[in-house]
Amino acid sequence: MRLRTVVARGLVLLLLAVTAAPLLAVVASGPMGDVAHAQAGGAIRNIRVEGNRRVEPETVRSYLQFSTGDAYDPEAVNGSLKSLFATGLFQDVKIRRQGSTVVVAVVENPVVNRVAFEGNSEIDDKTLGAEVQLRSRSIYTRAKVQSDVQRILDLYRRQGLFAARVDPKIIKLEHNRVDLVFEIQEGPETTVRSINFVGNQDFSDSQLREVITTTRTGLLSFLKPTNIYDPDRLRLDRELLRQFYLKNGYADAQIISAIADLDRDGRGFFITFTIEEGQQYRFGDINVRTSLAELDPAQLRRTVSTKPGKIYDASKIEKSVEKLTLEVAEQGYAFGRVRPLIERDPIGRTISIVYTIEQGPRIYIERIEIVGNTRTQDNVIRREFRLAEGDAYNRILVDAAKRRLRGLQFFKSVKIDTLPGSAPDRIILRVSVVEQPTGELSFGAGYSTNEGVVGDISLSERNLLGKGQYVRLGLSGSLERLQIDFGFTEPRFLGRNISAGFDVFHREDDLRDESSFRQRRTGGGIRMGVPLNEDWAFVTRYNFVREEIYDVQPFASLAVVNAEGATNTSSVGYTLLYDTRNHPKKPTRGLYFNFSQDLAGVGGDVQYLRSIAEGRGYYPLYKKILLVGRAQAGNIEGWGGQDVRLQDVFFKGGETVRGFDRAGFGPRDLGTDDALGGKVFAAATAEIRFPLPLVPDALGMQGAVFADAGTLFNPGDLGLLQTFFVANSKTIRSSVGMSLIWESPLGPFRADISHVLTSESFDQEELFRFGAATQF
């Protein structure tokens, strides 16, 4: 019974299966079967583009990563979306399926009808329009708008306006067009309010401020752009500080950071340089070694600038390498390579150097390309290279050229890259520069106890017409003096390392209080200078001056009366200079010496030989305490039977020996009390400068104590004046005193209080002296 039941059920199931098979086949071939097939990756039969107005459907399809006949692939769809968005043509893109058809729906980005700027006054529309990417008839995208906003902000920041805000506005027009308006709030100019240094022990803040190019904002800062914060200039200043320390013996010095903090109202930056000075080194043993048999190390050693026992100076190592490279090349080794091997002794604080010379790879310079110089001429840049097209490539000489280009201060940045040439042994040097302003308009005002109110204004340009020439026009004066002068200098005369130039001037002095006359001098001259080596220079010159003594006061000295009138002076002369100071304006170490002679009588009405010598020395006693010494002397004598006139002799006073009035000591007419000057003078000064206690370095104040001594004697041609009416003494005048030196925002000022130790009864003394500080 059970067996018959099981067999019956099996027969029923078999009958149902046979009967349902045709029905299932029909269902599978219907619409639901198509959907299942597409979901599983079926073929795409059609691609339809919707929403496009300007862009052709075929253009849209060209960016798709699938086409008709392909299997539908979500990854291909995702890639297509990215490609379409990347074109910048579309604001929105959607891809969907409708059965075997793929629909690409796009929303096109509008076309820019015009771009306008509102609220801008510091930067004109033309400059802003050249900076932005979006222009009339370009495709509008949000990314481009954001990029242009940042470009405008960067442009304003380069102008010192860090508080500027830019708000883009869209005005929709018909036919999918828009007007783009950048609403600008420029805000106040963002200047540098203070410059501070942290970690400097051996150099004061005021000395380091002279090293960098950025300046603090002062009353006259509107005349110079250097008080505007510039990130590029800050990077340059950081490098200048590093080089300054390396030049002064601090081989381990690091400029840890240079931070510019913007105040809350966006009006000013507070710049802080953090410095790690390290210890000061001196040069130890200096040797030269070479693997080239024909070179003599002893002879080459005399070429180097680094000397044992001298303060370490990284720039002297670079100059020594350059000199050795040139010397080796002149001896027939064009590919000679010089490498300095440095051995440091931290305990003895010395650095020994071995210059090793070996044969380098054979590479030639095919071409020197210069880019970025829109103003400076190519030859001004090329002349700083000791290399030319076709010469053997030497990295040391290229680096030296880069340093010289930076030293011109024509460029904000200098970059030299090497590119492959037309052959394996050929390279191309590409010199990329970013120019910076080289003109300067400045003026100052102050008060002097000798001249009263004083002032000056000058206009200078370091790179005239892009030729690297220097020109200056200056005007200065007071109630007792007026001077205008103009000077021009060509630093590379005839393409050689020789400077040449000319000067013209006009000066008027009121000396009625000192010597009962007024003086007028007008003239000019030409000059030429050549560096003898790193420390020595020689300058030669010719001058022609027309001098006039006039407005002689009643009861003036007979010497003054006899000198009244006009004369012409034609002279030739020279100056020999020696300078090892570590800072051109505020030295703390080194020596300076100059000796000059002028021979008058090459034509003209006057014949004399004038000689002047001056020496200065700077020595740090302890950290920021500095000992300064100066010695000077001069002599003038007539020749050809002619004595020296009154207007050519030396007049000395408080500028030489403090405690004495202007023209306060030296030969004098006892009857009229007129100073007559002298043909011989000598003077010496010793001064100790120190920081003021409890006074922050940021104020730029320091104190000093000094001792001065000097003499002036032997008057010139006295005419009919009897010598017994003239006081003429070789007595040494001397004084001691104290000073206050202030690096104020208006410029340097100095106040001296002096006590005269030795003098003559006819001398005129002065207790207090105030005026512009004189650095010596």
Side-chain angles (χ1 to χ4, degrees), residues 430-463:
R430 175 172 291 175
V431 184
S432 304
V433 298
V434 178
E435 294 179 316
Q436 65 180 1
T438 54
E440 181 175 304
L441 173 65
S442 63
F443 67 84
Y447 181 82
S448 168
T449 51
N450 287 326
E451 300 183 57
V453 178
V454 296
D456 66 85
I457 182 172
S458 66
L459 175 65
S460 63
E461 171 59 59
R462 300 192 307 272
N463 188 16

Side-chain angles (χ1 to χ4, degrees), residues 239-240 242-251 283 303-307 311-324 340 342 351 353 355 396 399-400 403-404 534-535 579-583:
E239 177 62 19
L240 291 175
R242 189 185 71 87
Q243 293 178 4
F244 175 74
Y245 272 99
L246 290 178
K247 183 179 179 180
N248 285 280
Y250 297 86
F283 284 117
T303 306
V304 302
S305 303
T306 51
K307 305 298 181 184
I311 297 294
Y312 172 81
D313 184 347
S315 65
K316 290 187 179 296
I317 299 177
E318 297 168 352
K319 292 178 182 177
S320 298
V321 171
E322 183 179 353
K323 286 182 177 180
L324 286 171
I342 296 176
I351 293 179
I353 302 174
Y355 296 96
I396 301 300
D399 290 343
R403 291 192 300 272
R404 283 191 289 268
E534 297 173 12
D535 302 326
D579 192 354
T580 62
R581 295 174 298 174
N582 62 349
H583 194 291

Side-chain angles (χ1 to χ4, degrees), residues 49-67:
V49 179
E50 297 178 349
N52 57 308
R53 297 183 179 180
R54 298 185 313 274
V55 184
E56 295 294 330
E58 287 303 320
T59 302
V60 176
R61 294 189 184 100
S62 66
Y63 289 102
L64 300 178
Q65 296 182 6
F66 56 85
S67 59

